């Protein structure tokens, strides 16, 4: 394994934020650590595990390796504050790093207000429980927080299983999401010409695209089209979507459906995919607004 690591560079070896780790070790400044978190969370796309060839590791492993256990413990109050402050798109990364900072080989004093923040984070984790592996991350945090003790802690009577997540997110989002397809493009603020050109660039001949779903996630609208796949191949279709937030830029993205995989263009599958897109950092193709937007 050591020879393999010497011959092959892993993705984390050149990950964004390496210079900030060095700066933090030199200065110990909280703002540098926070800057590192934002940079690294963007680098990993809001998902804190890196699947790199035949191994999987945490996106913050190099930072954690550079810190002594006592130093990690001292960062817990800062990380609690950050986990509450980050937007939903970076919440999974914040939970993961918080859990990783808790020592699991010793008993430590529970930081002030830890349990209060923990319960507030649980509500948010319940809402976002549909994100891949977020429930596992939360369950890991619920397990590790037992190593932080206080004689008057209100959570000491609960087991990690009781503090874990089930399917609370379904009380926040009904699956499938509400279907507004009959309204067509009525509320769309994208430039018609720019949208047409960008969809054609994705491999759609004029007249081939079909609007199959219009829905809304909180204040953000989505329009979803189905483009035909490549004839004679396992490529079934290309799903193209336009994201229109209440404020900010419109963005165009897509994913592909293949015969070998179970995902299809059902309302349930599209809804789940759009939820993951909405609550993770998105890097979409900018789409112009029309003159009325």
């Amino acid at each position: 394994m050591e020879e393999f690591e010497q011959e092959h560079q892993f993705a984390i070896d050149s990950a964004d934020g390496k210079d900030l780790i060095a700066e933090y070790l030199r200065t110990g400044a909280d703002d540098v650590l926070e800057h590192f978190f934002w940079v690294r969370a963007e680098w990993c796309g809001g998902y804190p595990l890196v699947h790199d060839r035949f191994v999987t590791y945490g996106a913050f492993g190099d930072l954690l390796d550079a810190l002594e256990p006592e130093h990690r413990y001292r960062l817990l109050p800062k990380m609690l504050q950050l986990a509450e402050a980050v937007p939903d798109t970076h919440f999974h990364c914040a939970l993961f790093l918080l859990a990783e900072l808790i020592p699991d080989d010793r008993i430590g004093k529970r930081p002030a207000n830890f349990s209060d923040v923990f319960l507030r984070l649980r509500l948010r984790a319940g809402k976002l429980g549909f994100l891949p592996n977020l429930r596992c991350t939360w369950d890991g945090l619920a397990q590790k927080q037992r190593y932080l003790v206080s004689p008057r802690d209100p959570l000491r009577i609960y087991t990690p299983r009781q503090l874990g997540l089930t399917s609370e997110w379904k009380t926040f989002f009904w699956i499938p999401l509400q279907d507004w397809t009959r309204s067509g493009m009525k509320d769309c603020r994208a430039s018609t010409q720019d949208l047409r050109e960008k969809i054609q660039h994705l491999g759609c001949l004029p007249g081939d695209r079909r609007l199959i779903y219009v829905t809304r996630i909180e204040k953000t609208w989505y329009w979803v089209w189905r483009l035909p796949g490549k004839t004679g191949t396992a490529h079934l279709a290309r799903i193209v979507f336009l994201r229109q937030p209440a404020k900010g830029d419109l963005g165009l993205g897509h994913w592909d459906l293949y015969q070998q995989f179970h995902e299809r263009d059902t309302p349930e599958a599209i809804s789940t995919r759009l939820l993951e897109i909405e609550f993770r950092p998105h890097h979409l193709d900018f789409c112009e607004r029309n003159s009325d937007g």
Side-chain angles (χ1 to χ4, degrees):
M1 181 65 180
E2 290 182 1
E3 293 180 0
F4 178 81
E5 291 181 354
Q6 291 174 359
E7 295 177 4
H8 298 80
Q9 187 180 55
F10 290 98
I12 200 170
D13 295 330
S14 57
D16 296 346
K18 290 284 188 182
D19 55 328
L20 294 171
I21 295 177
E23 184 178 350
Y24 175 71
L25 294 175
R26 188 174 66 253
T27 65
D30 282 351
D31 59 333
V32 174
L33 180 67
E34 186 170 339
H35 187 198
F36 165 78
F37 170 81
W38 290 110
V39 169
R40 186 57 62 85
E42 285 291 328
W43 173 80
C44 66
Y47 182 69
L49 295 176
V50 181
H51 302 298
D52 191 356
R53 293 190 288 268
F54 299 109
V55 295
T56 299
Y57 49 81
F60 301 93
D62 49 352
L63 170 69
L64 296 166
D65 289 343
L67 300 177
E68 296 294 332
E70 284 301 321
H71 194 151
R72 297 186 196 181
Y73 174 78
R74 292 198 303 270
L75 291 178
L76 285 176
K78 172 64 180 176
M79 200 59 222
L80 280 172
Q81 180 185 8
L82 188 59
E84 280 209 285
V86 297
D88 291 341
T89 50
H90 295 68
F91 182 68
H92 193 179
C93 282
L95 277 188
F96 183 87
L97 183 53
L98 175 61
E100 290 294 297
L101 290 174
I102 299 175
D104 57 3
D105 58 350
R106 70 189 76 178
I107 300 297
K109 183 179 178 181
R110 204 171 187 85
N113 299 321
F114 183 95
S115 294
D116 290 340
V117 177
F118 179 90
L119 291 176
R120 291 196 293 270
L121 294 178
R122 187 184 184 280
L123 289 175
R124 198 170 175 196
K127 172 186 174 182
L128 301 173
F130 57 84
L131 291 173
N133 280 329
L134 187 140
R135 286 170 61 180
C136 292
T137 298
W138 177 262
D139 289 346
L141 176 60
Q143 188 81 21
K144 292 188 72 176
Q145 59 86 30
R146 297 182 307 156
Y147 292 91
L148 303 173
V149 298
S150 171
R152 290 180 295 276
D153 176 40
L155 298 186
R156 68 185 185 278
I157 63 174
Y158 296 100
T159 66
R161 184 182 182 88
Q162 290 172 314
L163 294 172
L165 299 179
T166 53
S167 296
E168 288 96 334
W169 66 271
K170 293 182 179 178
T171 65
F172 292 90
F173 305 103
W174 189 263
I175 298 295
L177 296 168
Q178 188 169 358
D179 188 349
W180 298 83
T181 308
R182 286 189 176 185
S183 66
M185 304 295 292
K186 182 182 69 172
D187 295 304
C188 183
R189 298 293 177 261
S191 163
T192 303
Q193 181 174 347
D194 189 42
L195 183 61
R196 182 187 300 116
E197 290 176 355
K198 281 183 165 57
I199 293 181
Q200 288 181 2
H201 183 71
L202 291 172
C204 177
L205 297 174
D208 273 354
R209 77 172 190 240
R210 180 165 60 91
L211 183 67
I212 59 173
Y213 209 55
V214 179
T215 192
R216 186 175 179 177
I217 301 174
E218 296 183 337
K219 295 182 179 181
T220 301
W221 281 97
Y222 281 90
W223 286 264
V224 182
W225 294 269
R226 188 184 199 276
L227 278 55
K230 299 175 183 177
T231 305
T233 72
H235 182 231
L236 297 177
R238 172 160 288 180
I239 306 300
V240 179
F241 65 90
L242 174 70
R243 178 180 183 270
Q244 178 179 289
K247 297 181 180 178
D249 294 336
L250 280 65
L252 198 71
H254 71 274
W255 69 85
D256 291 294
L257 301 179
Y258 293 94
Q259 188 173 347
Q260 298 95 323
F261 305 108
H262 70 276
E263 185 179 16
R264 293 294 182 262
D265 56 352
T266 63
E268 292 79 6
I270 292 173
S271 297
T272 302
R273 176 75 80 136
L274 293 180
L275 282 170
E276 293 177 10
I277 291 167
E278 180 64 19
F279 293 106
R280 287 175 68 173
H282 24 255
H283 304 282
L284 305 178
D285 188 11
F286 171 75
C287 194
E288 296 179 2
R289 285 183 180 265
N290 60 30
S291 57
D292 299 328

